[in-house]
Structures are given as C-alpha cells and as structure tokens.
Amino acid sequence: MNLLLLICGGSIGAISRYLVGLAIMKRYSNPPFPVAMLIVNLIGSFGLGAFFGINYQLIPLGAYNDPLYLSIGIGFFGAFTTFSTFSVEAFQLYNNKLWKKLILYVTLSIFGSILTFLIGLNLGVYFY
C-alpha cells in the first residue's frame, strides 16, 4: 500500500513539475538563468512547508507510515521539486563559465528554497 501511495503522489508531482516548467519556459523563453526550475523548486519548498505546518505543525520525524505524508510529502513534493535538474543546470552554468549567473542561481535556489519552506511552514501553522 505504501508503494502505491508513493507512486500516485510521485506521478502527479512529476507531471505537475513538467507542466509548470513548460508554462514558465513559455512565458520566459530566454531567461538569464534556469528560472523555470528555480520557480518550481521555490513553489515546491513553500508547498511542502505549508503541508507540514497545516498537517503536523512541525517537521514530522518517523512519519513514514502516515499515508498522507507518503503520498503528498514524499511522493508529490519529492517528485515536484528536483535537486538533480538543479545540479545539471548549475553545472551547465559552471561549464560555460557564467560565474555570476551560477552564483545567483545556486544562492537563490538553496537559500530561497529554505526561506520559502520556512514561510510555508509558519503560515501553515498559523492557519492551522
């Protein structure tokens, strides 16, 4: 049953990431750096924080048997956000010696994701 929950949540998350990424790339056809994945990861970090805040009021430890956590927390948001694509895009900037864009992209991605997660978590707790 746990694997089925992960499959369902992960499938929806991956499809959502793809569609949101396409929509962003359509709107920003020639961005200065990989803005689509940055926005997707910021949205996903905020959403995961809000999910935790609303449902658990904190970051749950050992919730791997909770169906809601498995399907949404791990499945959906795990597939919606992506560290691997971030790594590829950061490497492409590095490989092309686009140092300022690389530093901006990495900084915004890492610190922005942490910040949006914390905002989502606190808003979720507040509205709980």
Side-chain angles (χ1 to χ4, degrees):
M1 181 63 168
N2 287 353
L3 290 179
L4 184 58
L5 292 170
L6 287 170
I7 290 168
C8 290
S11 299
I12 295 168
I15 292 167
S16 298
R17 177 183 70 222
Y18 174 72
L19 294 175
V20 170
L22 280 180
I24 294 167
M25 287 187 297
K26 195 181 256 188
R27 175 127 169 103
Y28 302 102
S29 59
N30 193 16
F33 60 91
V35 70
M37 197 48 51
L38 172 64
I39 292 172
V40 164
N41 284 336
L42 294 176
I43 291 169
S45 295
F46 175 84
L48 183 61
F51 168 76
F52 283 153
I54 291 167
N55 292 291
Y56 305 102
Q57 293 73 59
L58 49 86
I59 301 171
L61 300 175
Y64 284 87
N65 291 320
D66 178 8
L68 192 62
Y69 180 71
L70 284 171
S71 59
I72 297 174
I74 295 175
F76 178 82
F77 285 112
F80 185 76
T81 59
T82 174
F83 194 74
S84 56
T85 302
F86 159 76
S87 299
V88 168
E89 292 173 340
F91 179 76
Q92 288 172 331
L93 293 171
Y94 168 82
N95 204 34
N96 292 319
K97 296 177 177 41
L98 299 170
W99 307 119
K100 289 180 183 177
K101 292 179 183 184
L102 171 65
I103 291 168
L104 181 63
Y105 180 57
V106 170
T107 301
L108 287 175
S109 294
I110 293 172
F111 292 110
S113 292
I114 294 169
L115 180 63
T116 55
F117 175 84
L118 292 172
I119 292 168
L121 179 67
N122 287 315
L123 284 174
V125 169
Y126 179 77
F127 288 109
Y128 171 76

